[in-house]
Amino acid sequence: MKLRQAGLDTAREIWADYFLVADCDNLLTNQDVLWKMMMENKTIVAPMLESRAAYSNFWCGMTSQGYYKRTPAYMPIRKQERRGCFDVPMVHSTYLVDLRKEASRQLAFYPPHPEYSWALDDVIVFAFSARMADVQMYVCNKETYGYFPVPVRSLATLQDEAESFLHTQLEVMVKNPPLEHSSFLSLPPKQPNKMGFDEVFMINLVQRSDRRERMLRTLYEQELSCKVVAAVDGKALNLSEIESMGIKMLPGYKDPYHGRPLTKGELGCFLSHYNIWKEIVDRGLQISLVIEDDLRFEVFFKRRLQTLLEEVTTHKLDWDLIYIGRKRMQVDHSEKSVPNIHNLVEADYSYWTLGYLLSLQGAQKLLMADPLTKMLPVDEFLPVMYDKHPVSEYMGHFESRDLHAFSAEPLLVYPTHYTGEPGYISDTETSVVWDNETVTTDWDRAKSRKTQEQEELSFEAQNSDVLQSELENWSARDEL
């Protein structure tokens, strides 16, 4: 509080017009943020900051003791369902003070106002000071201005703090260029490794250099190395090439939402994964990680995945495939948790192949099913193979359906974008029907449920009995 007050005093001494408060782990990505905040013409105004959770740098309610109070007004502002500049009882972390305003002369961080009797907390002390000076605080959410990490718990270590801040940098890269460190800083070199996997495969279409560069930088920052696998561009395949590979469609398959056959994009996606399964078997790789190029990582990703892998190995779990990113399609009841292993459930019917672990035995089972002769989308094929697909007619074409499939709970990766969001592009769904290039498909426009965000699960469907690790408690997605 004394340091903040010293900064405020210095700004007044040099007759500064504005005083910007910004915590050192706040990342301002909008180059016009200062100008835009000045244009609001408020004594105290904060640009709303993004985080991985509901948490942000403002409150909409405050108790009589000066503490946070949850109100219905918060989430519509936080989600930008309402946009504008809103009067709120508290802003913190990053905000602009207009020192030209006469009322600003009464603002202080230290000492607290003579009538202040609450906890000695800098953000509450300053908010009380503003109230006593009759200065209204505002938060502006008209645009995306920057990002900051969710505060870690009191028992967190320096490593936890560092990984949380790293995750904030990764979140910035989803929609922005990477943030480069100052040329005046000397950082230790990164030492990427495969995290104990025999191989880490990252699937990427050659023409999607933007996704490739983002993923490679994201992996590098987490010190993860990978093998980039050139995805099969299904749109470039003609019928004669498809026939020469012995590919035949599963009899009777129709997309569950549109009633159409497989698209060329889905065909290419399947072949991309199929080629990796073949390489795993050909090279005899015992454990591999497969990821696609349009995902975002959860906080503490590397440590959580390492812990999961260690527990699976220690308890000698017989597994073939473990989803680390997916969309649950069976939402009527919960999935069965795995005894003695944290954050793992037996996978039920699921969509998406964002990321998964695959054992050598699992790859062998997938190839032995001879899927090219009865093809359907890869994220429909996998549930068939672990006997959890709701359409029994599809499963009837595959005699052996004994793939041992599990899923991380909660998930470790999510899509960068969902259907209908700005920046959403699907090379899989926006395509043409596999055997008729005159029939185009565009799930962007149709707003298909398949690529929409997972809907909130009912109480009965939540996997509430799964063993939770301490890291999960520190990575909660709430306001505080």
Side-chain angles (χ1 to χ4, degrees):
M1 290 179 2
K2 292 181 179 179
L3 284 173
R4 291 186 188 274
Q5 184 62 43
L8 181 57
D9 290 341
T10 300
R12 286 168 173 157
E13 289 170 5
I14 64 174
W15 296 94
D17 288 333
Y18 295 92
F19 178 63
L20 176 67
V21 176
D23 289 352
C24 63
D25 59 357
N26 290 196
L27 304 173
L28 298 176
T29 56
N30 189 318
Q31 295 183 349
D32 297 323
V33 61
L34 273 177
W35 174 250
K36 291 178 184 295
M37 292 303 102
M38 291 175 185
M39 293 296 289
E40 295 297 335
N41 194 29
K42 309 293 186 186
T43 306
I44 302 175
V45 60
M48 189 186 79
L49 300 182
E50 297 290 331
S51 78
R52 61 177 174 79
Y55 176 76
S56 191
N57 60 323
F58 70 97
W59 297 358
C60 279
M62 185 184 288
T63 69
S64 57
Q65 291 79 36
Y67 290 109
Y68 176 80
K69 180 181 179 181
R70 188 169 292 193
T71 71
Y74 182 84
M75 288 309 296
I77 296 175
R78 174 66 185 89
K79 292 181 176 180
Q80 294 178 306
E81 293 168 356
R82 296 178 60 210
R83 289 179 184 255
C85 205
F86 304 95
D87 56 286
V88 293
M90 164 73 78
V91 295
H92 59 85
S93 300
T94 291
Y95 50 90
L96 186 69
V97 180
D98 188 345
L99 298 180
R100 301 171 306 170
K101 307 280 188 183
E102 185 173 349
S104 72
R105 297 174 186 174
Q106 302 176 54
L107 299 175
F109 295 96
Y110 188 87
H113 191 278
E115 296 182 27
Y116 185 83
S117 60
W118 299 338
L120 205 60
D121 180 283
D122 64 320
V123 300
I124 303 177
V125 166
F126 189 69
F128 186 87
S129 170
R131 182 190 303 181
M132 299 307 291
D134 200 25
V135 171
Q136 178 64 58
M137 291 180 160
Y138 290 86
V139 65
C140 187
N141 72 345
K142 297 176 183 178
E143 301 178 28
T144 298
Y145 301 104
Y147 300 74
F148 71 154
V150 175
V152 294
R153 304 298 169 93
S154 58
L155 296 177
T157 65
L158 184 59
Q159 180 189 2
D160 299 326
E161 294 268 12
E163 290 182 18
S164 178
F165 182 61
L166 170 63
H167 181 262
T168 303
Q169 296 176 66
L170 302 185
E171 285 292 281
V172 169
M173 282 191 272
V174 171
K175 298 179 180 178
N176 303 274
L179 297 173
E180 304 297 347
H181 65 79
S182 168
S183 60
F184 297 102
L185 291 177
S186 177
L187 300 181
K190 301 280 186 179
Q191 297 180 334
N193 61 72
K194 296 178 184 178
M195 242 181 70
F197 293 106
D198 293 303
E199 191 60 88
V200 177
F201 296 96
M202 193 265 283
I203 301 173
N204 166 259
L205 274 171
V206 173
Q207 59 266 39
R208 290 290 181 198
S209 59
D210 54 336
R211 291 184 177 181
R212 181 170 61 255
E213 290 168 6
R214 184 193 72 85
M215 277 296 293
L216 288 175
R217 179 63 181 267
T218 300
L219 291 169
Y220 173 77
E221 293 296 339
Q222 297 178 94
E223 297 190 278
L224 272 169
S225 59
C226 75
K227 176 180 180 179
V228 179
V229 177
V232 176
D233 186 356
K235 299 176 187 177
L237 296 174
N238 57 44
L239 275 178
S240 61
E241 289 174 314
I242 295 172
E243 291 171 358
S244 69
M245 288 185 275
I247 295 174
K248 296 179 181 178
M249 300 301 143
L250 184 77
Y253 171 75
K254 290 184 179 179
D255 173 78
Y257 301 114
H258 297 268
R260 55 151 179 76
L262 203 75
T263 69
K264 280 195 172 184
E266 289 168 331
L267 173 62
C269 181
F270 194 110
L271 290 174
S272 301
H273 286 270
Y274 180 85
N275 289 341
I276 289 175
W277 306 339
K278 281 191 64 180
E279 182 171 341
I280 289 172
V281 172
D282 292 343
R283 292 173 58 189
L285 304 176
Q286 294 298 318
I287 303 177
S288 300
L289 171 62
V290 182
I291 54 178
E292 296 180 341
D293 65 359
D294 55 350
L295 57 80
R296 68 202 308 166
F297 295 91
E298 278 291 87
V299 66
F300 307 130
F301 165 78
K302 192 172 181 180
R303 216 175 344 153
R304 290 159 78 179
L305 183 55
Q306 284 175 324
T307 301
L308 177 59
L309 193 56
E310 288 168 5
E311 291 196 18
V312 164
T313 303
T314 299
H315 293 281
K316 296 180 170 60
L317 180 69
D318 183 15
W319 67 275
D320 296 320
L321 180 144
I322 300 176
Y323 288 105
I324 61 170
R326 61 168 179 155
K327 179 176 181 177
R328 272 185 63 186
M329 297 304 292
Q330 182 287 109
V331 293
D332 295 327
H333 54 82
S334 62
E335 297 170 304
K336 185 178 178 181
S337 62
V338 179
N340 304 316
I341 298 179
H342 291 88
N343 310 116
L344 195 67
V345 295
E346 295 181 11
D348 212 314
Y349 182 41
S350 304
Y351 271 169
W352 303 346
T353 48
L354 287 173
Y356 56 90
L357 312 187
L358 189 62
S359 69
L360 175 59
Q361 175 181 273
Q364 290 169 336
K365 288 181 179 180
L366 295 174
L367 295 179
M368 286 175 63
D370 197 16
L372 298 191
T373 63
K374 40 203 168 184
M375 186 176 285
L376 69 170
V378 64
D379 58 356
E380 300 274 17
F381 171 64
L382 293 179
V384 166
M385 290 301 294
Y386 57 83
D387 206 33
K388 292 290 187 179
H389 201 288
V391 182
S392 57
E393 289 83 355
Y394 298 167
M395 295 201 293
H397 291 275
F398 298 88
E399 184 176 348
S400 295
R401 302 187 300 276
D402 58 349
L403 191 75
H404 298 160
F406 301 87
S407 176
E409 178 66 37
L411 298 170
L412 303 182
V413 298
Y414 288 88
T416 55
H417 301 83
Y418 295 99
T419 302
E421 290 185 345
Y424 171 79
I425 299 174
S426 173
D427 297 300
T428 307
E429 295 125 16
T430 305
S431 183
V432 295
V433 171
W434 76 275
D435 60 349
N436 190 342
E437 294 189 0
T438 64
V439 180
T440 59
T441 61
D442 190 342
W443 291 19
D444 241 347
R445 195 157 49 238
K447 301 293 192 295
S448 168
R449 284 172 49 204
K450 183 171 184 176
T451 46
Q452 286 180 347
E453 187 172 3
Q454 179 85 58
E455 296 178 1
E456 186 172 350
L457 299 175
S458 66
F459 177 78
E460 294 77 14
Q462 292 177 14
N463 295 328
S464 54
D465 64 342
V466 66
L467 285 175
Q468 294 288 344
S469 69
E470 192 63 32
L471 280 176
E472 305 311 321
N473 296 328
W474 292 348
S475 54
R477 290 175 167 266
D478 209 341
E479 293 163 64
L480 289 179

